[in-house]
Amino acid sequence: MNVPKVINTYCPKCKAHTEHSLSLLKVGKRRALAIGERRHKREKRGYGGQGWPMQKKFAKTTKKQTLKFKCKKCGFTIQKKGLRLRKLTIGGQT
């Protein structure tokens, strides 16, 4: 699906419709000191290995793409869950 680079939409900070630049949200680096990471590491130690069954087969073939809308006037960023689709192209003809 093709999406334009710039969209005119509502900005809650400006309280008006302004131009927004679009980008895809990228997943950040996992934090090693987060409680879930530490707990998982502790459960994997010693005999017994993995604490719960690893998911091998996934039901879904696609993920919901999260779009970032950045206001060109004030720089405020809004994240919106997009559609469930295989490929999202921003400002391109593919």
Side-chain angles (χ1 to χ4, degrees):
M1 181 176 161
N2 293 328
V3 180
K5 282 183 183 176
V6 178
I7 286 180
N8 195 42
T9 188
Y10 182 75
C11 175
K13 198 169 181 185
C14 298
K15 294 183 180 171
H17 276 74
T18 56
E19 282 193 338
H20 285 70
S21 59
L22 258 76
S23 61
L24 265 175
L25 183 81
K26 290 182 180 148
V27 181
K29 195 188 284 187
R30 293 175 70 110
R31 296 178 299 141
L33 293 176
I35 187 67
E37 284 288 326
R38 287 182 283 153
R39 188 180 296 128
H40 184 57
K41 195 174 179 180
R42 189 172 63 241
E43 285 173 356
K44 279 182 76 170
R45 285 183 68 190
Y47 293 107
Q50 181 70 23
W52 55 84
M54 291 288 279
Q55 190 171 10
K56 292 198 169 64
K57 191 175 178 183
F58 290 91
K60 303 277 191 281
T61 56
T62 56
K63 283 188 175 181
K64 281 185 179 177
Q65 299 284 350
T66 306
L67 292 168
K68 281 201 306 186
F69 292 85
K70 188 174 182 182
C71 180
K72 288 197 167 185
K73 194 175 176 185
C74 66
F76 187 71
T77 309
I78 314 157
Q79 290 182 14
K80 288 185 184 176
K81 275 246 175 99
L83 297 169
R84 187 179 286 281
L85 34 83
R86 286 178 192 264
K87 191 174 182 183
L88 185 78
T89 319
I90 296 172
Q93 298 292 326
T94 305

